[in-house]
Amino acid sequence: AAQQVAIIGAGASGLCALKCCLDEGLVPTCFERSGDIGGLWRFEEYPEEGRASIYRSVIINASKEMMCFSDFPIPEDFPNYMHNSKIMEYFRMYARHFDLLRHVCFKTSVCRVAKRPDFATTGQWEVVTESEGKQEAAIFDAVLVCTGHHTEAHLPLSTFPGLEKFEGWYLHSRDYKSPQSFLGKRVVVVGTGNSGIDIAVELSHIAKQVFLSTKRGTWVLHRVGDGGYPFDFSYISRFRELLRSLLPQNASSFLLERKLNARFDHALYGLQPQHRIFHQHPTVNDDLPNCIISGSVLVKPNIQKFTETSAIFSDGTREDIDAVVFATGYSFSFPFLEGCVKVVENQISLYKFMFPIDLEKPTLAFIGLIQPLGPIMPISELQCRWATRVFKG
């Protein structure tokens, strides 16, 4: 009999997991807690518990040439950098083309994934799901976890003394949807990841003043590269990757940093980080330097403390503020995998970022649980191809 595979989540990784299972002759069942596909890329007006949440204006940081699945090119008339609604359109086309939706159980959450008593010989799992208030258990030969790592807001409020006295309002970037409520306000955005910088730029058009607070600076890449081509498409090539593998990392860091500083000097703009460019996830934004040079975004160091109406920064300056947006990232966990994997300080020990190392049988794999320099889709596809072939033996 064909092997039964449980797939948890119907986002970018879950969809290609379905496709790869079908390619290998496995029988997939995908459990999706919400009522639709798309995961992180599906914009909803209100954040949903246990699901990633984006703001209305999100545009992907990778060009369509670099992000599409290998066997389903993105249509020619779609823009190079797609708005989240276009990405959803692409996912729907992909799901329709490969007839994936009939394998998805919507509005079904996974409560527990546990080893069967005979796991050491069969590698089988018992998966307990809940739908419309009733629980069901089923046996699967393998499990693919495609839940991503952008669901639980990391909000380190204790590191900001005085916040409990602050009379304005604050929120995590996960709860930010559009700029309207910030009209005429003085806003501080904490964090210079992609969300932080996107939100600071968007608010700068409508807020009275935006302050961008950064603890350690960031390298800012741009979407529009040389000659107007997508930066990733023109910069990431086999030749450059070969060059990078031959050069010491310091040398390749120096070359890219010099290129970025030629566009705008990061030190001059208050964004110069301590770390080298390949050591941390860089940020992608074309508009930030323009906002800084025109004064609509002011770069500030870390916030030392809050008072009732203001923020005091580590350089001693004080600014009156009405609102704070914490773009402080995410943490992740897998409560349904009781004791099978341990997440310690947002780190998890997996072979090739996929397989838990201490299982007797390799019948559990995590897909897309990485932070790559670029889009997740092609990586998830390769991971799914490998995992499904491992399951097949």
Side-chain angles (χ1 to χ4, degrees), residues 42-170:
R42 195 175 86 246
F43 171 79
E44 294 286 349
E45 206 62 65
Y46 300 100
E48 299 168 27
E49 159 126 40
R51 197 174 79 81
S53 162
I54 53 173
Y55 35 99
R56 189 183 295 280
S57 59
V58 168
I59 291 172
I60 196 166
N61 289 330
S63 62
K64 67 177 180 182
E65 290 81 0
M66 301 300 273
M67 71 153 268
C68 71
F69 295 120
S70 67
D71 45 11
F72 195 73
I74 293 172
E76 254 175 52
D77 59 330
F78 278 37
N80 293 85
Y81 289 100
M82 301 191 294
H83 181 259
N84 58 77
S85 58
K86 281 284 182 205
I87 293 173
M88 279 304 296
E89 213 176 308
Y90 172 62
F91 285 163
R92 293 194 196 288
M93 290 160 73
Y94 179 80
R96 210 167 31 243
H97 182 79
F98 294 113
D99 194 18
L100 304 178
L101 294 188
R102 62 199 181 92
H103 302 282
V104 184
C105 306
F106 290 110
K107 294 198 183 312
T108 306
S109 51
V110 173
C111 313
R112 194 171 78 248
V113 174
K115 293 176 182 177
R116 298 279 324 279
D118 56 0
F119 182 83
T121 50
T122 62
Q124 289 184 325
W125 298 88
E126 182 182 48
V127 177
V128 179
T129 56
E130 185 175 326
S131 180
E132 295 172 347
K134 57 177 191 286
Q135 290 199 349
E136 256 175 59
I139 307 298
F140 288 93
D141 297 297
V143 178
L144 287 168
V145 181
C146 306
T147 50
H149 51 100
H150 291 103
T151 43
E152 299 169 25
H154 172 64
L155 201 48
L157 298 182
S158 58
T159 57
F160 297 100
L163 189 60
E164 66 288 345
K165 297 201 298 268
F166 178 58
E167 290 165 3
W169 82 94
Y170 64 85

Side-chain angles (χ1 to χ4, degrees), residues 168-218:
W169 82 94
Y170 64 85
L171 68 158
H172 189 272
S173 58
R174 185 180 192 279
D175 300 310
Y176 172 87
K177 291 292 172 181
S178 64
Q180 278 68 27
S181 54
F182 297 88
L183 177 66
K185 305 290 185 198
R186 293 166 67 84
V187 188
V188 62
V189 178
V190 178
T192 48
N194 286 308
S195 301
I197 288 184
D198 269 4
I199 291 169
V201 166
E202 182 166 86
L203 291 178
S204 73
H205 302 304
I206 200 167
K208 187 173 183 182
Q209 180 66 59
V210 175
F211 303 97
L212 181 61
S213 165
T214 175
K215 190 153 56 175
R216 51 169 184 251
T218 188

